[in-house]
Amino acid sequence: TRLLAGSGGTAMGFPSEWGGLDMVGGAVAAFETLGHSDLSLLVKCGVQFGLFGGAVLHLGTRKHHERYLKRVASLELLGCFAMSEGAHGSNVQRVRTTATYDAEAGEFVVHTPAEEDCKDYIGNAARDGRIAVVFAQLVVGGESRGVHALLVPLRDDAGDVVEGVRIEDDGPKIGLNGVDNGRIWFDSVRVGRDALLDRYGEVTEGGEYRSDIENRDRRFFTMLGTLIQGRVSVGGASISATKSALTIAVRPALRRRT
């Protein structure tokens, strides 16, 4: 991954203003090509540059772009996309992790309410990730505002897990042991107000929640719609992996007499 970052290829999908190459199509094609070789590398790149970097790009605003995108593209800042949880099934709108705004302190309190509500199978979490885009139920002024994404630190510059965060490795994955999936629990972890990726919903200095999309369901699906590039990329890479697998299977079949 570091060799790819050194070549500049990992910056393809990001805007040139933030150190990218403005080549979204090229980024998708590059991801498809990785599907022909190392699938662990494919997943690591997808998590770092597609999911984590894509969430910062599409769900954040200028302050987040200035602070993070160049570091994400260069691999200086390793991150995670913490959406899935152990207990929520496939219903992302019902994740149980909470981010409650403390207006007096000007901070969000990120918390895992129960053991089974941990973020689970989160790429880059078990070993490398220093910060995560965490999807949580946003609570402002005592009222639930639906699922939003926040940037929450996992490890310090020395690589040590920060206070209030607990991480476990998900263990071996057949054929994908280069992927450090992990489980994450948050014990009332505090992050600043600017940690909220606030393109579609913000909390003002006065502690007021604002969004141009009033309907909570519509706001949620608009947020997810910005991440569609990753879904397209996975489909393309799956086709590439299938082509390689078929070639590997057919070649010995042609040589073998029965």
Side-chain angles (χ1 to χ4, degrees):
T1 309
R2 293 194 181 279
L3 287 174
L4 288 175
S7 71
T10 53
M12 281 186 187
F14 296 112
S16 56
E17 184 177 6
W18 316 115
L21 301 176
D22 289 317
M23 295 174 59
V24 175
V28 174
F31 195 76
E32 289 181 13
T33 303
L34 284 176
H36 285 295
S37 53
D38 188 333
L39 296 184
S40 287
L41 176 61
L42 173 85
V43 173
K44 293 282 282 185
C45 285
V47 168
Q48 171 69 14
F49 309 109
L51 293 176
F52 172 57
V56 174
L57 173 62
H58 296 299
L59 300 182
T61 48
R62 189 175 186 87
K63 59 180 176 290
H64 304 108
H65 301 159
E66 291 177 343
R67 189 177 305 171
Y68 296 110
L69 284 183
K70 284 185 179 180
R71 297 165 63 203
V72 172
S74 67
L75 214 62
E76 178 186 347
L77 179 65
L78 289 157
C80 307
F81 184 83
M83 177 182 281
S84 300
E85 294 179 359
H88 85 279
S90 60
N91 189 356
V92 177
Q93 267 190 296
R94 296 293 180 265
V95 295
R96 298 178 185 174
T97 300
T98 57
T100 305
Y101 189 64
D102 180 347
E104 186 174 337
E107 297 174 330
F108 292 99
V109 182
V110 182
H111 187 67
T112 304
E115 187 75 9
E116 64 270 19
D117 297 327
C118 64
K119 296 297 181 182
D120 205 353
Y121 278 93
I122 308 303
N124 282 353
R127 189 187 67 180
D128 295 325
R130 284 173 47 200
I131 191 169
V133 171
V134 177
F135 287 79
Q137 300 291 346
L138 192 71
V139 180
V140 182
E143 182 179 347
S144 176
R145 307 292 180 168
V147 176
H148 288 64
L150 303 92
L151 289 162
V152 183
L154 301 180
R155 293 176 173 86
D156 59 23
D157 291 340
D160 298 319
V161 177
V162 300
E163 185 177 356
V165 175
R166 176 161 59 97
I167 297 176
E168 290 181 359
D169 195 314
D170 272 311
K173 280 75 61 180
I174 296 175
L176 287 173
N177 287 330
V179 180
D180 57 326
N181 293 109
R183 304 181 184 94
I184 312 172
W185 291 262
F186 302 99
D187 184 7
S188 297
V189 176
R190 289 180 171 267
V191 294
R193 186 171 60 89
D194 60 354
L196 178 67
L197 296 177
D198 55 359
R199 179 177 178 183
Y200 297 107
E202 66 170 335
V203 176
T204 67
E205 290 186 15
E208 179 185 358
Y209 177 81
R210 292 179 182 173
S211 175
D212 291 334
I213 306 174
E214 293 185 9
N215 183 279
R216 188 163 75 170
D217 291 342
R218 183 170 168 236
R219 185 167 59 239
F220 172 74
F221 286 110
T222 300
M223 288 172 58
L224 291 191
T226 63
L227 306 176
I228 193 66
Q229 180 183 328
R231 307 297 183 260
V232 173
S233 298
V234 168
S238 298
I239 293 171
S240 297
T242 302
K243 289 177 179 177
S244 292
L246 184 62
T247 301
I248 292 168
V250 167
R251 281 176 176 169
L254 292 174
R255 292 196 302 268
R256 183 172 182 263
R257 286 185 167 276
T258 60

